[in-house]
mmCIF file of all heavy atoms in Angstrom:
data_model
loop_
_atom_site.group_PDB
_atom_site.id
_atom_site.type_symbol
_atom_site.label_atom_id
_atom_site.label_comp_id
_atom_site.label_asym_id
_atom_site.label_seq_id
_atom_site.Cartn_x
_atom_site.Cartn_y
_atom_site.Cartn_z
ATOM 1 N N SER A 102 20.101 -38.797 -28.136
ATOM 2 C CA SER A 102 18.646 -38.910 -28.043
ATOM 3 C C SER A 102 18.114 -39.101 -26.643
ATOM 4 O O SER A 102 17.167 -38.435 -26.211
ATOM 5 C CB SER A 102 18.138 -40.078 -28.928
ATOM 6 O OG SER A 102 16.768 -40.320 -28.771
ATOM 7 N N ASN A 103 18.784 -39.947 -25.896
ATOM 8 C CA ASN A 103 18.418 -40.164 -24.515
ATOM 9 C C ASN A 103 18.674 -38.909 -23.653
ATOM 10 O O ASN A 103 17.887 -38.589 -22.732
ATOM 11 C CB ASN A 103 19.167 -41.357 -23.893
ATOM 12 C CG ASN A 103 18.660 -42.702 -24.415
ATOM 13 O OD1 ASN A 103 17.454 -42.867 -24.601
ATOM 14 N ND2 ASN A 103 19.524 -43.644 -24.676
ATOM 15 N N ALA A 104 19.748 -38.230 -23.962
ATOM 16 C CA ALA A 104 20.119 -37.049 -23.158
ATOM 17 C C ALA A 104 19.127 -35.918 -23.295
ATOM 18 O O ALA A 104 18.768 -35.234 -22.315
ATOM 19 C CB ALA A 104 21.508 -36.569 -23.553
ATOM 20 N N CYS A 105 18.648 -35.709 -24.509
ATOM 21 C CA CYS A 105 17.703 -34.569 -24.690
ATOM 22 C C CYS A 105 16.222 -35.007 -24.698
ATOM 23 O O CYS A 105 15.350 -34.139 -24.758
ATOM 24 C CB CYS A 105 18.035 -33.849 -26.010
ATOM 25 S SG CYS A 105 17.796 -34.833 -27.520
ATOM 26 N N GLY A 106 15.964 -36.311 -24.682
ATOM 27 C CA GLY A 106 14.582 -36.740 -24.641
ATOM 28 C C GLY A 106 13.861 -36.622 -25.967
ATOM 29 O O GLY A 106 12.603 -36.524 -26.012
ATOM 30 N N LEU A 107 14.597 -36.668 -27.050
ATOM 31 C CA LEU A 107 13.979 -36.693 -28.382
ATOM 32 C C LEU A 107 13.846 -38.105 -28.852
ATOM 33 O O LEU A 107 14.836 -38.800 -29.096
ATOM 34 C CB LEU A 107 14.817 -35.868 -29.376
ATOM 35 C CG LEU A 107 14.192 -35.827 -30.804
ATOM 36 C CD1 LEU A 107 13.161 -34.666 -30.892
ATOM 37 C CD2 LEU A 107 15.282 -35.608 -31.843
ATOM 38 N N PRO A 108 12.624 -38.630 -28.971
ATOM 39 C CA PRO A 108 12.480 -40.021 -29.406
ATOM 40 C C PRO A 108 13.066 -40.318 -30.767
ATOM 41 O O PRO A 108 12.853 -39.531 -31.703
ATOM 42 C CB PRO A 108 10.950 -40.239 -29.373
ATOM 43 C CG PRO A 108 10.415 -39.160 -28.471
ATOM 44 C CD PRO A 108 11.333 -37.995 -28.655
ATOM 45 N N MET A 109 13.778 -41.399 -30.892
ATOM 46 C CA MET A 109 14.245 -41.880 -32.203
ATOM 47 C C MET A 109 13.548 -43.231 -32.430
ATOM 48 O O MET A 109 13.710 -44.181 -31.660
ATOM 49 C CB MET A 109 15.779 -42.011 -32.206
ATOM 50 C CG MET A 109 16.306 -42.376 -33.600
ATOM 51 S SD MET A 109 18.064 -41.955 -33.867
ATOM 52 C CE MET A 109 18.799 -42.668 -32.459
ATOM 53 N N ILE A 110 12.831 -43.264 -33.548
ATOM 54 C CA ILE A 110 11.946 -44.417 -33.830
ATOM 55 C C ILE A 110 12.472 -45.133 -35.095
ATOM 56 O O ILE A 110 12.725 -44.481 -36.123
ATOM 57 C CB ILE A 110 10.505 -43.983 -34.062
ATOM 58 C CG1 ILE A 110 10.032 -43.177 -32.851
ATOM 59 C CG2 ILE A 110 9.599 -45.145 -34.364
ATOM 60 C CD1 ILE A 110 8.741 -42.461 -33.092
ATOM 61 N N GLU A 111 12.642 -46.448 -34.972
ATOM 62 C CA GLU A 111 13.041 -47.235 -36.168
ATOM 63 C C GLU A 111 11.768 -47.721 -36.839
ATOM 64 O O GLU A 111 10.904 -48.389 -36.282
ATOM 65 C CB GLU A 111 13.878 -48.439 -35.747
ATOM 66 C CG GLU A 111 14.348 -49.261 -36.935
ATOM 67 C CD GLU A 111 15.202 -50.432 -36.543
ATOM 68 O OE1 GLU A 111 15.560 -50.532 -35.350
ATOM 69 O OE2 GLU A 111 15.502 -51.272 -37.396
ATOM 70 N N ILE A 112 11.679 -47.372 -38.161
ATOM 71 C CA ILE A 112 10.521 -47.764 -38.940
ATOM 72 C C ILE A 112 10.962 -48.900 -39.905
ATOM 73 O O ILE A 112 12.021 -48.792 -40.544
ATOM 74 C CB ILE A 112 10.027 -46.619 -39.813
ATOM 75 C CG1 ILE A 112 9.665 -45.396 -38.920
ATOM 76 C CG2 ILE A 112 8.793 -46.998 -40.640
ATOM 77 C CD1 ILE A 112 9.251 -44.170 -39.679
ATOM 78 N N PRO A 113 10.179 -49.971 -39.999
ATOM 79 C CA PRO A 113 10.540 -51.052 -40.952
ATOM 80 C C PRO A 113 10.632 -50.489 -42.365
ATOM 81 O O PRO A 113 9.880 -49.578 -42.785
ATOM 82 C CB PRO A 113 9.369 -52.019 -40.795
ATOM 83 C CG PRO A 113 8.879 -51.809 -39.420
ATOM 84 C CD PRO A 113 9.036 -50.341 -39.170
ATOM 85 N N ALA A 114 11.561 -51.013 -43.149
ATOM 86 C CA ALA A 114 11.823 -50.487 -44.497
ATOM 87 C C ALA A 114 10.679 -50.686 -45.416
ATOM 88 O O ALA A 114 10.539 -49.952 -46.417
ATOM 89 C CB ALA A 114 13.083 -51.196 -45.045
ATOM 90 N N ASP A 115 9.785 -51.630 -45.182
ATOM 91 C CA ASP A 115 8.701 -51.905 -46.118
ATOM 92 C C ASP A 115 7.478 -51.056 -45.911
ATOM 93 O O ASP A 115 6.441 -51.211 -46.606
ATOM 94 C CB ASP A 115 8.310 -53.394 -46.053
ATOM 95 C CG ASP A 115 7.868 -53.803 -44.656
ATOM 96 O OD1 ASP A 115 8.117 -53.033 -43.693
ATOM 97 O OD2 ASP A 115 7.282 -54.906 -44.532
ATOM 98 N N ILE A 116 7.442 -50.132 -44.934
ATOM 99 C CA ILE A 116 6.306 -49.277 -44.692
ATOM 100 C C ILE A 116 6.462 -48.018 -45.523
ATOM 101 O O ILE A 116 7.416 -47.251 -45.320
ATOM 102 C CB ILE A 116 6.150 -48.953 -43.195
ATOM 103 C CG1 ILE A 116 5.976 -50.225 -42.352
ATOM 104 C CG2 ILE A 116 5.000 -47.973 -42.971
ATOM 105 C CD1 ILE A 116 5.848 -49.946 -40.917
ATOM 106 N N PRO A 117 5.564 -47.752 -46.437
ATOM 107 C CA PRO A 117 5.669 -46.525 -47.267
ATOM 108 C C PRO A 117 5.466 -45.249 -46.412
ATOM 109 O O PRO A 117 4.661 -45.247 -45.494
ATOM 110 C CB PRO A 117 4.523 -46.660 -48.314
ATOM 111 C CG PRO A 117 4.177 -48.125 -48.287
ATOM 112 C CD PRO A 117 4.406 -48.587 -46.888
ATOM 113 N N TYR A 118 6.166 -44.241 -46.752
ATOM 114 C CA TYR A 118 6.008 -42.977 -46.059
ATOM 115 C C TYR A 118 4.572 -42.462 -46.182
ATOM 116 O O TYR A 118 4.026 -41.861 -45.253
ATOM 117 C CB TYR A 118 6.950 -41.925 -46.634
ATOM 118 C CG TYR A 118 8.393 -42.046 -46.140
ATOM 119 C CD1 TYR A 118 9.407 -41.489 -46.922
ATOM 120 C CD2 TYR A 118 8.703 -42.657 -44.924
ATOM 121 C CE1 TYR A 118 10.755 -41.581 -46.476
ATOM 122 C CE2 TYR A 118 9.992 -42.721 -44.501
ATOM 123 C CZ TYR A 118 11.003 -42.231 -45.275
ATOM 124 O OH TYR A 118 12.313 -42.300 -44.821
ATOM 125 N N THR A 119 3.932 -42.647 -47.350
ATOM 126 C CA THR A 119 2.602 -42.127 -47.559
ATOM 127 C C THR A 119 1.613 -42.666 -46.579
ATOM 128 O O THR A 119 0.653 -41.981 -46.170
ATOM 129 C CB THR A 119 2.164 -42.380 -48.996
ATOM 130 O OG1 THR A 119 2.271 -43.776 -49.255
ATOM 131 C CG2 THR A 119 3.001 -41.611 -50.014
ATOM 132 N N ASP A 120 1.746 -43.961 -46.229
ATOM 133 C CA ASP A 120 0.828 -44.550 -45.243
ATOM 134 C C ASP A 120 0.913 -43.831 -43.906
ATOM 135 O O ASP A 120 -0.091 -43.583 -43.261
ATOM 136 C CB ASP A 120 1.120 -46.044 -45.049
ATOM 137 C CG ASP A 120 0.779 -46.873 -46.292
ATOM 138 O OD1 ASP A 120 0.195 -46.285 -47.241
ATOM 139 O OD2 ASP A 120 1.127 -48.060 -46.290
ATOM 140 N N ILE A 121 2.122 -43.544 -43.531
ATOM 141 C CA ILE A 121 2.355 -42.847 -42.206
ATOM 142 C C ILE A 121 1.837 -41.422 -42.281
ATOM 143 O O ILE A 121 1.122 -40.929 -41.387
ATOM 144 C CB ILE A 121 3.798 -42.927 -41.817
ATOM 145 C CG1 ILE A 121 4.254 -44.345 -41.693
ATOM 146 C CG2 ILE A 121 4.044 -42.164 -40.509
ATOM 147 C CD1 ILE A 121 5.735 -44.515 -41.439
ATOM 148 N N THR A 122 2.268 -40.681 -43.358
ATOM 149 C CA THR A 122 1.939 -39.247 -43.391
ATOM 150 C C THR A 122 0.424 -39.052 -43.460
ATOM 151 O O THR A 122 -0.149 -38.162 -42.834
ATOM 152 C CB THR A 122 2.575 -38.591 -44.640
ATOM 153 O OG1 THR A 122 2.219 -39.333 -45.801
ATOM 154 C CG2 THR A 122 4.077 -38.590 -44.481
#
Side-chain angles (χ1 to χ4, degrees):
S102 172
N103 286 323
C105 65
L107 181 84
M109 185 158 51
I110 304 167
E111 181 179 351
I112 304 175
D115 58 346
I116 300 179
Y118 282 156
T119 54
D120 291 354
I121 300 174
T122 55

